[in-house]
Amino acid sequence: MGRGESEEKSKMEQEPEEDPGFCDKFRGFPKCIGFIVGNEFCERFSFYGMKAILTIYLLEALLFDDSTSTAIYHAFTFGCYFTPILGAIMADSWLGKYWTIVSVSILYAIGNFVLSISSLFGPPPYPFYGVSPQANIPGAMIGLVLIALGTGGIKPCVSAFGGDQFKDGQTKQVQMFFSIFYFAINAGSLISTLVTPLLRDDVQCYGADCFPLAFGVPAILMVVATILFVVGTPFYKRNPPQGNVVVLVSKAIGNAVKNRWNREEGEQREHWMDYCDTTKYEKKLVRDIKFMLHVLYMYIPLPVFWALFDQQGSRWTLQAYRMNYDLGPLGKMKPDQIQFVNPALILILIPIFEGVIYPILDKCKIPNRPLQRMCAGMTFAAGAFVVAGFIQIALQNTYPQPPAAGYSGLRIINMADCELTATFDPPFTGDNPPAFDAIAYKGEQKLYNVPKGNHTIDFTCNGKNPLNNYPVDMGDQEFNTVIITEKNGTLHAPPQFHTDWDKPDKADPKMRVIFMLDPDTIGNNVTVRIENKAVPTQVNHDFDVEMETATEYVVKEPGDFNVRLQYVNNTKADQDELVGTFSTEHGGGYTVVVYNDGTENMVESYIDAEPSSMSILYQIPQYFIITTGEVLFSVTGLDFSYSQAPKSMKSVLQAAWLLTVAFGNVIVLIVAEARLIEDQAIEFFMFAGLMGAVVIIFAIMAYFYTYNEIPKDDEEMEEMGKSNGDIENGKVRNGVDNPALSPDGPIYEDVLAGDTSYITQL
């Protein structure tokens, strides 16, 4: 399986142990483990649930555009993966793991509640409407900062604290604990990514998506996580802070750099770390840092992979946002809900790769060492973005296109009870001149090739007096609507209505009302009310109307709508008349015509911009490809790092691994804020090309990489002074493995030997 030549693996092969029964693995389990696992499940539910809907919140509620929403999302993700280093230092150097977890959990929960409460600010009927409309922005930013600090403080501590609860020699119990622990991580991620988008979209709050509830549930789960952890306090074994290996290594490197800078002229040593003062730092520490730096060299290209991978929550979510969510009999998939495909596939693909694919490659003698797997994983990531780019092109091809330069669009709607003929006077000549076919009653017809300028149209209809010389003023690349009605047996049309041919900026549909009735014949204070049939008190809008005028477009949730006429009749009684219904879909633009058919008031709706038609399921292939890349890259990368580093440096490498994730998000932040690429498909291809270039660079680096051979005496390092920051005989003792800096906890013996079954997503 390409797991290196580590001594741990050799020992396992030479001294096989009898595998105990399943129930035996639970014997001797500390009583407090349930509290720790429950805490992790709730915290991961809180984090992934909040993060799943974050991009949509930034876009819809805070009204940022795509690029700003993307930049904020990745700035937040950067904070989440940079702050674990601070949390580990705080836990190991000052507070200890227990008090670090408790203190940052409180901060974490406060951040969640600040984010949830800030989403209650807005125009009426929001409860906090008496402030600036932008008041929710600083509250959201403060909440995100607190959450980033909270998850950063917790990430390196909880599983390490769980590992501390076991006694020496409980190897199988520790392995079972981490199996349960990582199941809790993935279960929390999977469930929350499915649930919080439902809370956001399927529940209405104040006439819009219910972000207060969608953020509030993760906030409550974080409170539950904190309470669960605190309740287990009497059962915990708490170790005092022992000093942080990252700090120790940083000091040693700083000492070497300083001494090299101040070296005597002509002084040369084999490695720049050899300038480290061995009267302060042990030679073994210096040796181990050299091994670690050799591995870190291979980390240089890695941030680009994470730049692609983490766009699942930003650019890919925005792509899904503009697709069709309908899954037929299965209901609808929310655009932020499709992210669940990644953790679901992780749970499926890891056993397949470990149990099927890698053994087959070994039997076929196909090279698949760790660096080769990582290179393949990066190639898959590039491929995923190539697929995403082509999907984006196909999606953009479904968008309505404006008329060509020098031309305009014209729609005729026939509300006269006859078959209507419309003829330009004089008629156009040349190749493919614009001309209307006969238009049925309540029907419509659109032309997109009408030359700009002023024209006249003659309208005729059997049994009706014609309407001749109707003027239209056609602006360049504009779209207009003409509605033909009948008055006393004569065709009639108000002035043309300008029409938005483009899709709405957001995914929700936009709609307007054209009122073809005379309010004086109805009553006083006439308004038209549209209301979502499912939640009429939540999603509605009242239009003040005038005869033969069009209202402004408004954006509302998609669904089935009632149209009501509300007025005061001649007896001064309030009237509420249901005149019809219409339906809207995501991404569509609609004109609702209120008219009288000669006997009663009625409603007809017409599509100005076609709704989203490309299914969200087209994203499944790119999710499958990038998740395959994640299994090859992330899991194998951790395996490579641990097999190539002395035990004293494994924590430092994990800190560096987290930093590659953090700085990968910085790349996306810079690209989004630079706004140099307007076409999203081209941006996807750019990232694919960048990843392809990095694959070539990484392959060359891997070809020339020489694998570390860790000395056998490294096994003794775990037994060397348990406090790596203590001073003994004027010398700083060597660092020991600090489990606080693993992605969600320590990696124990089997993982150090190459078993990746306990390594999952960060």
Side-chain angles (χ1 to χ4, degrees):
M1 296 171 61
R3 291 172 174 163
E5 303 294 330
S6 67
E7 290 298 316
E8 291 90 343
K9 181 174 180 179
S10 299
K11 290 177 65 176
M12 291 173 63
E13 291 173 348
Q14 295 168 9
E15 299 174 10
E17 296 181 8
E18 182 180 350
D19 189 23
F22 180 77
C23 294
D24 292 336
K25 295 180 181 180
F26 289 95
R27 289 186 182 140
F29 247 53
K31 296 179 180 179
C32 59
I33 291 302
F35 298 107
I36 295 173
V37 172
N39 166 273
E40 184 67 11
F41 172 82
C42 294
E43 187 273 328
R44 291 290 87 185
F45 185 108
S46 175
F47 178 75
Y48 284 110
M50 177 279 304
K51 194 180 179 192
I53 61 174
L54 179 58
T55 297
I56 303 296
Y57 177 66
L58 296 170
L59 194 71
E60 288 191 348
L62 301 190
L63 303 181
F64 292 118
D65 61 17
D66 286 13
S67 293
T68 304
S69 299
T70 299
I72 294 173
Y73 176 90
H74 288 280
F76 169 71
T77 306
F78 165 81
C80 292
Y81 285 95
F82 184 82
T83 52
I85 297 174
L86 305 180
I89 293 173
M90 183 169 66
D92 290 343
S93 301
W94 301 310
L95 297 181
K97 298 184 186 72
Y98 174 82
W99 284 112
T100 298
I101 293 170
V102 172
S103 58
V104 299
S105 293
I106 295 172
L107 193 69
Y108 197 160
I110 292 172
N112 274 290
F113 278 107
V114 168
L115 183 60
S116 179
I117 293 171
S118 71
S119 66
L120 292 171
F121 287 86
Y126 281 89
F128 303 129
Y129 59 83
V131 294
S132 167
Q134 287 77 36
N136 51 2
I137 295 178
M141 297 303 107
I142 292 171
L144 291 176
V145 169
L146 294 177
I147 292 170
L149 292 172
T151 191
I154 284 180
K155 188 182 289 290
C157 295
V158 175
S159 60
F161 186 74
D164 289 345
Q165 308 308 308
F166 291 88
K167 300 176 182 178
D168 293 339
Q170 289 189 301
T171 304
K172 297 301 180 182
Q173 286 84 352
V174 169
Q175 292 173 3
M176 179 56 67
F177 163 68
F178 280 105
S179 295
I180 298 170
F181 189 84
Y182 288 122
F183 177 82
I185 292 173
N186 284 281
S189 168
L190 186 64
I191 295 172
S192 64
T193 308
L194 285 170
V195 171
T196 52
L198 292 175
L199 299 176
R200 172 191 66 79
D201 191 69
D202 289 356
V203 180
Q204 293 294 308
C205 297
Y206 313 108
D209 285 351
C210 199
F211 287 106
L213 177 63
F215 286 133
V217 169
I220 293 171
L221 263 292
M222 194 58 231
V223 172
V224 173
T226 306
I227 293 173
L228 272 175
F229 186 79
V230 172
V231 167
T233 299
F235 306 102
Y236 295 143
K237 179 174 69 175
R238 287 188 264 174
N239 297 328
Q242 298 177 344
N244 186 270
V245 68
V246 175
V247 175
L248 177 64
V249 170
S250 299
K251 289 180 178 179
I253 292 176
N255 179 268
V257 171
K258 176 183 176 182
N259 292 339
R260 187 179 187 277
W261 181 264
N262 296 324
R263 73 185 186 276
E264 296 180 1
E265 185 177 354
E267 181 184 3
Q268 294 293 333
R269 299 187 184 182
E270 183 178 354
H271 192 283
W272 61 268
M273 270 304 300
D274 292 333
Y275 290 94
C276 183
D277 187 353
T278 53
T279 63
K280 292 184 178 180
Y281 303 92
E282 283 198 351
K283 291 182 180 180
K284 191 173 291 185
L285 173 63
V286 175
R287 181 207 67 184
D288 291 350
I289 292 176
K290 291 180 186 178
F291 284 130
M292 180 265 296
L293 292 173
H294 186 58
V295 178
L296 282 185
Y297 170 71
M298 300 301 298
Y299 278 24
I300 295 174
L302 304 191
V304 177
F305 175 87
W306 299 113
L308 275 65
F309 180 81
D310 279 336
Q311 288 187 60
Q312 293 175 74
S314 57
R315 292 300 199 192
W316 285 16
T317 296
L318 293 173
Q319 185 185 65
Y321 184 66
R322 292 176 171 86
M323 302 177 86
N324 188 302
Y325 313 155
D326 191 7
L327 303 182
L330 299 177
K332 291 189 176 182
M333 172 79 74
K334 318 302 178 188
D336 39 2
Q337 199 175 37
I338 195 170
Q339 297 174 61
F340 93 94
V341 173
N342 175 255
L345 285 174
I346 278 289
L347 294 175
I348 296 170
L349 290 178
I350 286 181
I352 292 176
F353 271 86
E354 292 289 344
V356 179
I357 295 178
Y358 292 151
I360 290 176
L361 293 177
D362 287 338
K363 286 185 178 180
C364 295
K365 300 188 182 303
I366 297 176
N368 64 111
R369 300 187 75 182
L371 293 179
Q372 294 168 325
R373 293 183 191 176
M374 292 175 68
C375 202
M378 289 188 280
T379 304
F380 272 95
F385 268 69
V386 171
V387 173
F390 282 114
I391 293 296
Q392 185 67 27
I393 291 174
L395 177 63
Q396 291 171 181
N397 287 338
T398 67
Y399 296 169
Q401 300 299 316
Y407 293 87
S408 58
L410 180 63
R411 172 174 62 182
I412 306 295
I413 296 177
N414 179 19
M415 304 305 295
D417 190 7
C418 60
E419 186 174 78
L420 181 70
T421 300
T423 307
F424 286 101
D425 184 19
F428 293 100
T429 59
D431 296 335
N432 192 29
F436 288 100
D437 297 326
I439 305 173
Y441 177 46
K442 300 182 183 179
E444 64 173 337
Q445 192 172 148
K446 299 176 181 178
L447 295 178
Y448 291 91
N449 62 338
V450 180
K452 68 178 183 179
N454 297 317
H455 310 288
T456 58
I457 306 176
D458 295 334
F459 296 98
T460 59
C461 197
N462 291 333
K464 314 290 182 183
N465 295 324
L467 171 63
N468 295 321
N469 299 319
Y470 177 85
V472 290
D473 182 10
M474 310 301 291
D476 188 28
Q477 294 187 299
E478 289 184 352
F479 195 86
N480 292 282
T481 296
V482 174
I483 299 180
I484 302 297
T485 62
E486 172 193 355
K487 282 190 176 181
N488 301 320
T490 300
L491 297 180
H492 167 78
Q496 67 195 44
F497 300 99
H498 178 75
T499 303
D500 286 350
W501 57 266
D502 202 2
K503 297 173 77 67
D505 293 335
K506 312 298 183 184
D508 288 338
K510 60 183 179 182
M511 58 200 78
R512 66 170 177 176
V513 170
I514 295 181
F515 193 69
M516 299 299 294
L517 303 177
D518 184 355
D520 293 338
T521 64
I522 300 174
N524 299 316
N525 302 325
V526 180
T527 61
V528 173
R529 180 182 180 87
I530 60 171
E531 59 185 25
N532 193 298
K533 294 172 68 175
V535 281
T537 61
Q538 293 284 333
V539 181
N540 55 65
H541 190 85
D542 294 330
F543 295 97
D544 294 325
V545 293
E546 298 179 7
M547 183 177 177
E548 297 181 343
T549 59
T551 67
E552 296 294 326
Y553 284 92
V554 298
V555 176
K556 291 295 176 184
E557 293 286 314
D560 298 325
F561 285 81
N562 291 325
V563 181
R564 295 184 176 276
L565 270 180
Q566 297 177 333
Y567 56 92
V568 179
N569 64 13
N570 294 332
T571 63
K572 297 185 178 181
D574 293 334
Q575 300 294 311
D576 189 344
E577 176 187 349
L578 177 64
V579 294
T581 62
F582 70 99
S583 298
T584 65
E585 297 181 27
H586 285 283
Y590 299 86
T591 288
V592 180
V593 180
V594 181
Y595 69 103
N596 189 288
D597 68 348
T599 58
E600 60 180 340
N601 297 325
M602 299 186 69
V603 164
E604 289 291 333
S605 66
Y606 298 90
I607 296 176
D608 300 339
E610 291 293 333
S612 302
S613 57
M614 189 171 184
S615 174
I616 197 172
L617 294 180
Y618 279 101
Q619 280 199 323
I620 297 295
Q622 65 199 55
Y623 270 96
F624 178 83
I625 295 171
I626 203 164
T627 305
T628 301
E630 180 189 6
V631 173
L632 288 164
F633 177 87
S634 182
V635 174
T636 307
L638 288 169
D639 181 15
F640 164 76
S641 300
Y642 291 124
S643 67
Q644 285 293 289
K647 288 185 178 179
S648 62
M649 294 295 109
K650 297 183 190 300
S651 300
V652 183
L653 282 177
Q654 186 54 57
W657 184 269
L658 293 176
L659 286 179
T660 66
V661 182
F663 288 113
N665 282 271
V666 172
I667 295 174
V668 188
L669 191 160
I670 293 172
V671 171
E673 279 297 277
R675 301 172 187 264
L676 297 178
I677 304 175
E678 295 184 359
D679 190 312
Q680 186 58 60
I682 294 177
E683 184 179 295
F684 283 148
F685 290 133
M686 182 277 292
F687 274 108
L690 178 62
M691 187 77 263
V694 168
V695 167
I696 296 173
I697 294 171
F698 187 80
I700 295 172
M701 294 170 63
Y703 179 80
F704 290 101
Y705 178 82
T706 55
Y707 282 78
N708 287 335
E709 295 185 6
I710 310 300
K712 293 182 179 182
D713 63 356
D714 191 57
E715 293 292 333
E716 303 170 0
M717 292 178 62
E718 280 187 302
E719 304 304 323
M720 296 180 61
K722 296 296 183 179
S723 54
N724 53 26
D726 291 347
I727 303 293
E728 182 177 315
N729 297 326
K731 181 184 290 187
V732 180
R733 296 178 61 99
N734 194 4
V736 296
D737 186 19
N738 175 14
L741 272 169
S742 66
D744 281 293
I747 307 298
Y748 279 78
E749 290 181 2
D750 283 350
V751 177
L752 296 178
D755 188 345
T756 58
S757 61
Y758 302 122
I759 305 174
T760 63
Q761 299 182 98
L762 301 181

